[in-house]
Amino acid sequence: MKTQPYRPARPVCILQAGSVTGQKEKQGPLGKCFDLSGDDRFGKETWEKAESEMQRLAVGIALRKAGLRTDEIDALFAGDLINQCTASSYGLLSYRIPFLGLFGACSTCAEGLLMAAIGLGCPAGAMERAVAVTSSHFCSAERQFRFPLEYGGQRPPTAQWTVTGSGAFVLSAVKRDIVRLSEEYVPVIEEVMPGCIVDRGVTDANNMGAAMAPSAADTLERYFKGSGHTPDSFDLIATGDLGREGTAILRDLLEVKGIDITKHHVDCGCMIFSETESDTHAGGSGCGCSAVVLAADLLPNLRRGVLRDILFVGTGALMNPLSLNQGQPIPGIAHLIRIRAVPKREFSHKITEEISHADAP
Amino acid sequence: MKTQPYRPARPVCILQAGSVTGQKEKQGPLGKCFDLSGDDRFGKETWEKAESEMQRLAVGIALRKAGLRTDEIDALFAGDLINQCTASSYGLLSYRIPFLGLFGACSTCAEGLLMAAIGLGCPAGAMERAVAVTSSHFCSAERQFRFPLEYGGQRPPTAQWTVTGSGAFVLSAVKRDIVRLSEEYVPVIEEVMPGCIVDRGVTDANNMGAAMAPSAADTLERYFKGSGHTPDSFDLIATGDLGREGTAILRDLLEVKGIDITKHHVDCGCMIFSETESDTHAGGSGCGCSAVVLAADLLPNLRRGVLRDILFVGTGALMNPLSLNQGQPIPGIAHLIRIRAVPKREFSHKITEEISHADAP
């Protein structure tokens, strides 16, 4: 396998993002940052339909912010936690955009951005603009993965709370899209590194953080080795949804390898809910968790230049209830995206250079 | 969206394939072509574990044929029908290769090839070699999507039979891999076109062909319009698993648009089982259906030059049992891959040209 991360051959920019959440997320520390927060039903009669509606809304918001029509988008990269990823297929049915379905469990946000970077990152490549979107819903996830909500099952301290939310991202490699952005900094996908499946024998479905932490450690270790960077090269290393339990395990696993990320590491699962007030035990989880935190908190901070260079590491647990009943462990996966805030001035300069280079005889 | 298909900027070759099936498939018309056929359990205690084992075996066979080690592969594109795609995550756990999970229902074989073509198709691209793999298993699919097998549910004439099988494909853009192939012709992915989700209101889970045919018609119509080709440009137009019911609907839908594919159209779901002897009603289905037919029949015919230019159209139904219970329709999707048998002599010539071009000052 490639030991170095993939660096797109032309700038792939995250133009805009849309974030849609439920009420509990709105009441959390990032509540004010989300574009739209509904009542967990979003006008639909089932939670599954509500989750689809969140995806539809998130994509609509992101496209509107980017000033793009659906027919200007070459591909939708989408996936979710519901069996057969139906939150995506029904939610995005009304958009007539070529659809590429993903399953990366809670790492889907990062997987979608990674695939989009591959598709857009090559001049004369497969596509010019793409949308990556994912979602999760507490109620649809609980009844599918654990217990019917009515059962009122108790949650151990290591359990995480599935975020009700959807994050959508409009990506572009089209120069005029990037040049017309109003912010001072442009979030550009600088590098991506897909993760390997890692199994360390964890079988506790109420401790997903422990199941996913080894894969995050594996991808980060490979990345630092392959890229030559150190944790200090970055303003922030944001994992997707390890929660408090998984965060401690990840830091320990990397410390043993001589890699200290503690100064820069945050976890979206710890950021989205309040440890003292949200009553979510080890923190948030689900595809929607890292997606809405990236969309509503990290990207705006990159656009403002508060963050200049970050690693975003989506984490996922690749199991289902049947596989656990059959005695299988919970393998994890972690996909890494490096996002850099490129000053628009420097960026426009680069574009101009490229144009003149291309025009040269 | 792009109206033209994506054409890789450098040759992406399907080096080798591996096909693993159950007994019913072995007894069908293509039975002698499969690399390995087992007893539906493959030495495991559950059907789900057997399906994972088929994927592991198929990838192993394909890699062995290609003479490549796992550490020479940059990415695995994999997915299946089991909830949360666990046939792939457990089946491929033992391969330490970066893993990109897909969900395209029965179109997953085509989706994996499409993604690999995008990843490999760009010089200095994201990857040099990739494996695409998918699977389905009659027993794991029946109990998940329809009834427990023990129930002995009756099957209407429009019902299809989920293929027990896994097909794996080793793709490469590395010149020395291609040059050392022993066959006279090299199967090259010439163009790809991702499909849009298409919903025509079909709600009968026992008539997947009807649900998927409109999406195949949509993708083929877009392809012929965008590429300028006609059905007569191709030796074969192979859809994934429309079965006899869906095949008739697809031909009708295209005829209305003035496109006549009848002379060249075959369906993998009709090819894999005998209409008179297999007792599978409308034919085969499942991710494994198109994957093993491509691996064991179409690709060998391309390598021998019997087929020179084909369209392979993976078809999928994007639903789950819960969405049907909630009154949702069954949307379909179809991803198109054009595979051309390039004479190795012409191909080597092209490679030489490319090398000298790259070496030019």
Side-chain angles (χ1 to χ4, degrees), chain A residues 60-114:
Chain A
I61 289 167
L63 285 174
R64 204 155 46 241
K65 281 188 188 174
L68 292 171
R69 299 184 314 270
T70 54
D71 64 2
E72 294 176 291
I73 307 296
D74 297 324
L76 267 171
F77 292 94
D80 57 90
L81 290 172
I82 296 191
N83 295 343
Q84 287 70 53
C85 299
T86 51
S88 305
S89 48
Y90 292 108
L92 305 172
L93 196 49
S94 59
Y95 296 108
R96 193 165 158 73
I97 304 173
F99 174 89
L100 292 159
L102 307 179
F103 183 77
C106 305
S107 74
T108 304
C109 173
E111 189 184 351
L113 295 172
L114 185 151

Side-chain angles (χ1 to χ4, degrees), chain A residues 147-213:
Chain A
F147 299 109
L149 281 190
E150 298 81 350
Y151 178 75
Q154 279 202 316
R155 301 159 49 77
T158 55
Q160 291 173 246
W161 187 279
T162 304
V163 164
T164 299
S166 172
F169 306 87
V170 180
L171 297 104
S172 175
V174 178
K175 287 164 192 166
R176 63 178 180 282
D177 291 348
I178 302 171
V179 171
R180 76 174 180 208
L181 287 173
S182 58
E183 288 91 350
E184 202 182 336
Y185 292 88
V186 181
V188 170
I189 297 188
E190 192 80 6
E191 292 173 323
V192 300
M193 190 163 222
C196 296
I197 309 177
V198 175
D199 166 35
R200 292 289 177 267
V202 175
T203 53
D204 181 0
N206 277 310
N207 194 349
M208 290 295 184
M212 298 187 289

Side-chain angles (χ1 to χ4, degrees), chain B residues 222-251:
Chain B
R222 277 173 50 221
Y223 175 77
F224 290 128
K225 212 168 169 181
S227 69
H229 292 296
T230 67
D232 291 332
S233 313
F234 302 98
D235 299 325
L236 208 68
I237 299 169
T239 47
D241 60 345
L242 297 178
R244 274 171 274 281
E245 188 77 8
T247 290
I249 297 170
L250 170 66
R251 293 177 184 181

